[in-house]
Amino acid sequence: MNLIVEIAGAIGRGFDPSYVNEFDNVEALSFVKDFFPSDQTWWSPDQIVCRHVLEHIACPFDFVSMIRRSIPQGQAPYLYFEVPSFDWICDNLAFWDIFYEHCNYFTMQSISSLMVAQGFIVERIAPVFSEQYLSVDVRILDDVAPESPLLLQAEPSNRVAEYADLARGFSRRMNELDNRIRKAVGEGKKIAVWGAAAKGSTFLNQLKLAPDIVSRVIDINPRKQGNFIAGMGQLICAPESLQSNPADIIYVMNPNYEREIRQQLAQLSLFPELVVI
C-alpha cells in the first residue's frame, strides 16, 4: 500500500483490525485498526483497493454488498479487486495453493457474477502475476440501487468436468512429488524448500515431509527466520545459511521468483539443483 500511495502521489487509508504500527512514519498513509469502513465521516475515496481479501471472507456476497452500500450516493470511485485464480490452480495441479485460510476460490466467471450481482460493471478482468491471480476493475452501475442486484450473470464455466476430477489430479501430483523427493533422500541428497509462506507450509504438510526428509526452509524475510514451519517443524533460515550447510536440491514454491533466487544463490557461489513447481 505504501508503494501505491507513493506512485500515485495520493493519500491512503488502510483498514485492518490486526494492524501493528509498521507504517506510522510514512507520510500520506494511515491505518485504522478496525474493520472496513469504521468511520465514514471523512469518506470520499477516489479508489477502493481490495487485494487478496475476498478469498478469506466466508460470505463474499455480503462483503461486496457492504462495500457497495458504503459508497455514498453520487460518488463513483474506481474499485480494484485481486484474488487467486482457481483455473491456474487447476491447470498446474497446485495442491499447495489450497489451504484453510482460503474459504473461497474464484474463476473469471464466478467473480464477474459476484460483481455484477452487486450492481457493478466489470470493466476489465485479466490474469496477472504469471496468471496466478485475477485482476478485476469495476465501477458502479449508476442506475442500480445497492439493494437491487442485477439478474445478469456471466457465462458459466465450461470446465465443470475438470473440476470434478481435480481431487484425482491433486493425488497424482502429490504422489509424483513425494516419490521424487523420497528417492532423492534415499540417494543421500539434502533437500530444502525456498518459501516459508502458505505455499511452502502447505506443500510440506500435505506431503508430510518431516525435517529428516526436508531439512529446512529458506526465506528472505528476517521476521520468519529463526522460527519454524507449523506442523512439520522445519527451521526457517536465511539464504546465507546454505553456505555452511548446503542443499543439493531446493524446491522453489513460486516460479515467479526463480530468477531472483538463482541470482541470490549465484552471489553466494552456490549452484544447487532447483526444482520449480
Side-chain angles (χ1 to χ4, degrees):
M1 187 169 177
N2 181 29
L3 184 61
I4 293 173
V5 168
E6 287 184 354
I7 292 174
I11 296 173
R13 179 167 293 189
F15 293 85
D16 188 345
S18 64
Y19 172 70
V20 291
N21 304 319
E22 182 178 356
F23 295 109
D24 280 355
N25 297 321
V26 177
E27 188 176 356
L29 176 59
S30 62
F31 277 84
V32 178
K33 196 170 182 178
D34 202 349
F35 293 102
F36 170 93
S38 65
D39 177 9
Q40 296 188 48
T41 58
W42 60 276
W43 189 240
S44 183
D46 298 300
Q47 184 169 19
I48 298 174
V49 177
C50 183
R51 293 186 67 247
H52 299 273
V53 175
L54 287 182
E55 65 269 26
H56 298 270
I57 303 296
C59 300
F61 187 94
D62 294 341
F63 184 80
V64 175
S65 177
M66 177 271 295
I67 294 176
R68 176 66 180 87
R69 293 194 309 271
S70 74
I71 300 171
Q73 189 71 26
Q75 292 189 17
Y78 294 98
L79 292 99
Y80 176 80
F81 294 85
E82 189 175 296
V83 295
S85 170
F86 186 65
D87 282 330
W88 182 88
I89 293 172
C90 294
D91 291 340
N92 292 274
L93 295 176
F95 63 86
W96 53 88
D97 260 324
I98 303 291
F99 35 83
Y100 73 92
E101 295 98 331
H102 289 183
C103 45
N104 294 292
Y105 289 89
F106 294 94
T107 64
M108 284 190 177
Q109 291 85 358
S110 64
I111 197 166
S112 294
S113 294
L114 172 62
M115 297 303 165
V116 169
Q118 289 299 338
F120 291 113
I121 292 177
V122 178
E123 292 195 321
R124 185 194 65 89
I125 179 168
V128 294
F129 200 60
S130 299
E131 301 189 356
Q132 291 185 31
Y133 305 145
L134 295 176
S135 169
V136 188
D137 291 308
V138 304
R139 64 178 175 86
I140 294 173
L141 188 58
D142 296 329
D143 58 351
V144 176
E147 52 276 350
S148 303
L150 296 182
L151 297 178
L152 177 64
Q153 299 293 312
E155 289 294 321
S157 174
N158 57 4
R159 303 189 62 178
V160 175
E162 294 179 54
Y163 300 152
D165 197 45
L166 191 56
R168 280 190 288 271
F170 278 171
S171 295
R172 184 173 64 253
R173 186 80 192 278
M174 291 172 68
N175 288 334
E176 290 171 355
L177 285 167
D178 186 62
N179 291 336
R180 180 175 180 177
I181 290 170
R182 294 175 189 273
K183 180 175 183 293
V185 171
E187 295 170 351
K189 303 288 182 65
K190 292 183 178 180
I191 299 178
V193 161
W194 193 299
K199 294 177 190 289
S201 177
T202 303
F203 179 80
L204 292 165
N205 278 274
Q206 285 290 337
L207 296 182
K208 297 180 172 55
L209 300 174
D212 61 329
I213 301 172
V214 174
S215 61
R216 76 211 109 129
V217 175
I218 308 301
D219 202 286
I220 63 173
N221 188 342
R223 296 180 183 177
K224 296 180 180 180
Q225 294 163 8
N227 294 307
F228 297 85
I229 293 293
M232 288 295 102
Q234 280 87 358
L235 179 65
I236 302 172
C237 306
E240 290 76 13
S241 69
L242 293 166
Q243 290 181 304
S244 58
N245 187 12
D248 300 299
I249 304 172
I250 297 177
Y251 278 76
V252 177
M253 295 312 306
N254 196 320
N256 287 314
Y257 303 120
E258 178 185 2
R259 182 178 177 183
E260 176 186 324
I261 290 169
R262 289 191 184 278
Q263 290 175 341
Q264 292 183 60
L265 290 169
Q267 290 171 359
L268 298 172
S269 298
L270 297 171
F271 303 94
E273 178 186 350
L274 290 191
V275 178
V276 183
I277 63 172

